[in-house]
């Protein structure tokens, strides 16, 4: 059965990435991860950053053929108004210890890079076997700090996007596509 695709509402300008394109790119990324981790003996710990990464993480993880477990963290980033840039506060940490384990952090989008740079440092300090990062989207024009990304879905221009986990004031997360948004306020 083909489900109806939710139509664009008036504050959504256009579909940037449709559901079929998302599906095939996620399949490609899963294939890369399956290849890269084919020899691991311990499960890969996949750590999703709530809430934006959940759709990407669950689609990706279900295509994996390597031993893996999933876990989540919740964080809040300080305001974008120049104060304390790049400071990240943990609201919820992983349940699993990541010490001596291979870790893959999964994020929805790389913007300034501060969040992932901070998380990488924080995770490295716990002495995992390795830390890699997967992001679904990247806005290269907005980078302020460089952080290595090992698996990336798509580069996008500097516009606000929603859908596939991404939100505007908590709305639109469950859209099956990525749309460009024009905030009214
Ligand atoms: P930094 O700047 O630390 O931030 O790389 C990454 C976080 O910024 C949010 N973000 C967005 N969220 N649509 C969203 O729904 C966007 O276009 C967007 N750009 C940045 C997001 O929370 C991400 O984790
Ligand atoms: Mg986020």
């Amino acid at each position: 059965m083909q489900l109806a695709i939710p139509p664009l509402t008036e504050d959504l300008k256009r579909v940037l990435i449709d559901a079929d394109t998302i599906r095939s790119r996620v399949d490609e990324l899963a294939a890369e991860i399956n290849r890269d981790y084919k020899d691991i003996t311990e499960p890969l710990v996949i750590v999703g950053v709530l809430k934006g990464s959940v759709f990407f993480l669950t689609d990706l993880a279900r295509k994996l053929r390597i031993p893996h477990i999933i876990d989540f963290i919740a964080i809040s980033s300080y305001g974008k108004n120049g104060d304390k840039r790049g400071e990240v506060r943990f609201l919820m940490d992983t349940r699993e210890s990541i010490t001596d384990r291979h870790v893959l952090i999964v994020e929805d989008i790389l913007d300034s890079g501060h969040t992932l740079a901070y998380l990488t440092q924080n995770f490295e300090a716990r002495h995992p076997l390795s830390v890699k990062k997967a992001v679904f989207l990247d806005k290269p024009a907005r980078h302020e700090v460089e952080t290595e990304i090992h698996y990336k879905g798509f580069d996008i221009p500097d516009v606000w996007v929603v859908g596939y986990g991404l939100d505007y004031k908590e709305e639109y997360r469950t859209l099956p596509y990525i749309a460009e948004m024009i905030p009214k306020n």
Side-chain angles (χ1 to χ4, degrees):
M1 184 183 70
Q2 189 70 39
L3 289 175
I5 295 176
L8 288 176
T9 54
E10 62 180 81
D11 38 3
L12 300 185
K13 193 171 167 189
R14 63 186 168 124
V15 173
L16 267 190
I17 309 169
D18 66 36
D20 284 341
T21 309
I22 291 174
R23 204 171 300 116
S24 52
R25 185 68 189 126
V26 172
D27 287 356
E28 288 172 359
L29 293 176
E32 275 182 53
I33 294 169
N34 282 329
R35 232 177 5 250
D36 292 351
Y37 290 94
K38 66 179 184 334
D39 296 325
I40 55 168
T41 48
E42 283 279 308
L44 173 66
V45 182
I46 302 176
V47 179
V49 183
L50 292 174
K51 304 176 193 169
S53 71
V54 287
F55 295 87
F56 178 41
L57 183 148
T58 53
D59 282 349
L60 191 64
R62 284 178 293 174
K63 299 284 172 150
L64 295 182
R65 299 295 173 259
I66 52 159
H68 66 275
I69 60 170
I70 62 170
D71 204 342
F72 294 94
I73 58 170
I75 54 173
S76 81
S77 314
Y78 285 100
K80 301 250 168 184
N81 302 323
D83 57 326
K84 295 186 169 179
R85 278 221 69 143
E87 263 194 60
V88 174
R89 191 162 54 99
F90 271 84
L91 304 177
M92 183 183 90
D93 204 347
T94 55
R95 282 195 173 218
E96 299 291 323
S97 165
I98 59 167
T99 303
D100 293 329
R101 303 178 94 170
H102 294 288
V103 178
L104 179 64
I105 303 175
V106 179
E107 245 290 50
D108 51 1
I109 187 165
L110 183 67
D111 188 291
S112 69
H114 285 293
T115 305
L116 272 178
Y118 172 85
L119 288 178
T120 307
Q121 242 184 7
N122 182 289
F123 276 34
E124 295 278 11
R126 307 182 199 190
H127 305 292
L129 290 175
S130 67
V131 178
K132 286 190 177 185
K133 286 154 275 178
V135 297
F136 181 61
L137 299 176
D138 185 9
K139 293 179 177 174
R142 291 186 49 89
H143 291 184
E144 291 175 10
V145 291
E146 287 310 317
T147 181
E148 189 178 357
I149 300 300
H150 306 83
Y151 308 100
K152 186 204 288 193
F154 303 91
D155 282 334
I156 59 163
D158 182 11
V159 294
W160 195 261
V161 290
V162 294
Y164 202 60
L166 292 149
D167 71 305
Y168 177 69
K169 298 182 179 173
E170 291 301 321
E171 277 192 74
Y172 305 112
R173 284 194 200 278
T174 62
L175 289 176
Y177 49 76
I178 293 288
E180 178 177 348
M181 157 112 209
I182 320 155
K184 274 181 296 202
N185 42 33

